[in-house]
Amino acid sequence: MAELTINGRRRLTGELSVQGAKNSALPLLAATFCVPAKCLLQNVPALSDVSATLAILRHLGCTARRNGETVAVDATSPVRYTIPESLMRELRSSIFLLGPLLARFGRAEIFAPGGCDIGARPIDLHLAAMERMGAVIRKADDKITMRVPHGLHGAEINLRFPSVGATENILMAAACARGTTHLHGAAREPEIVDLAEFLNRCGAKIRGAGESLVVIEGVRRLHGCSYRVMPDRIIAGSCLSAAAVTGGEILLRGVDHAHLAPILPAFRRMGCRITAVNDALHLRAPRRLTPFSTLVTAPYPGFPTDSQAAFLAMACTASGVSRIEETIFESRFRQAREFSKMGAHIVLRGRRAEIYGVPRLHGARVEAMDLRGGAALAVAALCAEGQTTITRAELIARGWEDITGTLRRIGAQTNG
Ligand code: EPZ
C-alpha cells in the first residue's frame, strides 16, 4: 500500500504547469479503438488509470506505446471483442470501450466497470443508448454480452440525466453508425467537447458538443490523427487549493480559464485574489480563508462534483461555517471522518455537509477513500500542524500525476 507523508504549516508559493486531463485522456484513448489506423495523443498524463486503459487496448489487439507525454495507439487490426472482468474492474472508464467495440466488431463481451467508490454508478444509460442504436443485450451474472445483428444505426436518444460517460459512449458508437443520431440531454462537460473535436479530426461529423443537443452524422470510416489532450481542470483546482489553504501564492500555467469558471467564484468568496495572465492563472490567498457559504454540485457548467472535496478541505480551517450539497453521487462524503481525525468539525446530513472552520488542524494517520477524497486529504495536510500520513495513496495516483513532485515544487515537505 502506498503512503504519502506531508509535514504541514508551510506557506506554498511558486509556479506549476497543469497536467493533461485524466477525464479526457481516458475517453480519447477508448476512441482510438474506433479508428482503424494510428493515432497520436499528446499531453497524456502518466496515471495508473491511463496505464490500465492501455492494457485493455493491448488486450484487444492494438499497439499502444508511450513516448514521454505522447501515446501512439494503432487499432488497425483488433483481435477480440471481449474484456475480462479483471481489466474491466480496474477503472470506471473501461465502460468507454463499449461503444467502440460495437462500432468495430458489432459485438462486445464485458463486465460492469470499476472506479472510485463514490456511489452505485450504474451503467443503465449506456446500455439503453446502445439498444436504441440496434444492440441486443444479454446479461448472465456479471457478464454483459451485446450484439448488433444489423450494425449500429442512428437514433433519437434522450438521456434522463446528462451522464458524462454515457454521452461519450454514444458519440463513439454513433460516429460510424448508419444514419444520424440526435442526442438530447447530453452532458456538456469540456471533456465531451475534447472527445468530439478528436473524433471530428478523425473524420467524424459531430455538431453541438458542449450543448444539450448533439447531432452525430455517421460516416463510413475514420482515419488517424494527432491530438492534444485538454488541461485537467480538476487538478488545476487542486493545485490552487494547495496554495490557498496555506495562505500562499501560485502561478498556474497551461489552464483553460473557461473550464475553471465554475470554481473561481468560490475561491474569491474565500478571500483569494485571482487574476488571468494569458494562459496562466495567478492566485494569492489571505492568511486565513473565509467560508464560501454554500456550494451545490451540478453537471457542467455547474460546480463540478470532482472539485467539492478540495473545497471541503479548505473549509476545515476557514473562519466560519461552509456548506456543501452533493447532488451527483450519493457517497461522496465518506472522506469526512478522515478529516475529523485531523481535528476538523464536519456535520453530515445525507447529501449535505456543514463544515465548521477551526483555527488549526493537526497531523494524523488517515486513509484515502477515493481519488478526489485522497487529494483533498493532502490539501488539508498542507495546513495541518505536524505530520500527516495518507494511506492508500495509490488512489490519488489514479488521477494526480506525481502529486509528491508537484507539491514539492511549490515548497511542500512531502515524501511518498
Ligand atoms: C465521469 O464519471 C467522471 N469520470 C467522474 O470523475 C465525474 O465525477 C463524473 O463524470 C461526473 O462529472 C470519468 O470521466 C472517467 P456520470 P461517470 O455518468 O461518467 C448516474 C473522477 O474522480 N448514472 O456523469 O461515471 C451516476 O450514478 C471521477 O475523476 C446513472 O444513473 O459519471 C451518477 O449519479 C469520479 N446511470 C450520475 O449519473 C448511468 O448509466 C453521474 O454519472 C450512468 C450514470
Side-chain angles (χ1 to χ4, degrees), residues 23 54 61 75 77 119 127-128 132 144 174 180 194 202 256 264 267 274 312 321 346 351 391 408:
N23 289 348
L54 295 179
S77 316
L127 301 181
R132 292 282 298 148
I144 300 163
T180 298
D194 224 23
C202 293
D256 183 317
L264 296 184
F267 276 109
I274 295 179
L312 185 146
V321 186
I346 302 170
R351 290 198 181 204
T391 61
R408 274 191 195 140

Side-chain angles (χ1 to χ4, degrees), residues 82-385:
T82 59
I83 303 178
E85 188 164 16
S86 57
L87 288 179
M88 286 296 297
R89 287 280 187 216
E90 282 280 302
L91 70 169
R92 172 72 180 180
S93 56
S94 57
I95 192 64
F96 295 164
L97 271 299
L98 177 58
L101 280 169
L102 296 179
R104 288 297 300 275
F105 278 108
R107 57 194 307 182
E109 288 185 10
I110 61 170
F111 294 83
C116 283
D117 184 6
I118 53 179
R121 306 191 81 179
I123 57 170
D124 57 312
L125 296 176
H126 297 250
L127 301 181
M130 297 303 113
E131 284 183 302
R132 292 282 298 148
M133 298 178 71
V136 176
I137 299 178
R138 188 162 53 81
K139 291 182 186 176
D141 302 327
D142 285 343
K143 188 175 192 176
I144 300 163
T145 300
M146 297 190 88
R147 295 175 186 284
V148 193
H150 310 294
L152 288 170
H153 57 71
E156 290 290 319
I157 300 174
N158 289 283
L159 286 178
R160 65 172 164 74
F161 182 88
S163 157
V164 171
T167 298
E168 290 164 339
N169 246 328
I170 294 163
L171 261 59
M172 293 186 280
C176 291
R178 204 176 54 257
T180 298
T181 296
H182 291 82
L183 171 55
H184 303 268
R188 299 176 54 196
E189 274 71 3
E191 291 77 14
I192 306 293
V193 177
D194 224 23
L195 176 61
E197 286 181 1
F198 166 78
L199 289 168
N200 284 343
R201 192 169 298 178
C202 293
K205 291 181 180 174
I206 301 171
R207 287 179 287 113
E211 299 303 323
S212 296
L213 170 61
V214 182
V215 179
I216 308 107
E217 185 185 334
V219 297
R220 284 187 57 74
R221 185 185 176 88
L222 298 177
H223 56 71
C225 79
S226 292
Y227 191 80
R228 181 174 179 80
V229 177
M230 62 176 259
D232 194 310
R233 60 193 173 99
I234 307 301
I235 295 300
S238 301
C239 294
L240 294 172
S241 303
V245 82
T246 63
E249 181 173 354
I250 187 173
L251 184 70
L252 199 53
R253 296 190 181 286
V255 299
D256 183 317
H257 297 280
H259 297 170
L260 297 180
I263 64 171
L264 296 184
F267 276 109
R268 293 191 173 101
R269 287 204 297 273
M270 300 189 90
C272 295
R273 278 183 29 219
I274 295 179
T275 46
V277 182
N278 299 327
D279 77 335
L281 212 58
H282 182 266
L283 176 145
R284 181 196 296 270
R287 282 181 60 79
R288 186 179 186 187
L289 295 169
T290 52
F292 48 70
S293 175
T294 299
L295 290 179
V296 181
T297 64
Y300 196 88
F303 188 92
T305 174
D306 292 347
S307 294
Q308 63 99 329
F311 278 80
L312 185 146
M314 290 189 286
C316 288
T317 53
S319 57
V321 186
S322 303
R323 292 174 180 80
I324 297 175
E325 183 177 349
E326 170 56 56
T327 69
I328 307 291
F329 291 107
E330 60 274 26
S331 309
R332 211 157 199 180
F333 288 130
R334 294 189 318 139
Q335 206 67 65
R337 68 165 179 265
E338 300 303 301
F339 287 103
S340 304
K341 291 178 186 172
M342 301 171 73
H345 181 190
I346 302 170
V347 177
L348 295 181
R349 292 188 176 85
R351 290 198 181 204
R352 288 188 174 83
E354 280 179 0
I355 307 104
Y356 297 83
V358 296
R360 191 159 296 173
L361 297 178
H362 56 75
R365 186 173 178 82
V366 290
E367 180 183 349
M369 300 284 158
D370 57 66
L371 158 56
R372 306 303 176 186
L377 284 173
V379 168
L382 290 167
C383 73
E385 190 70 53

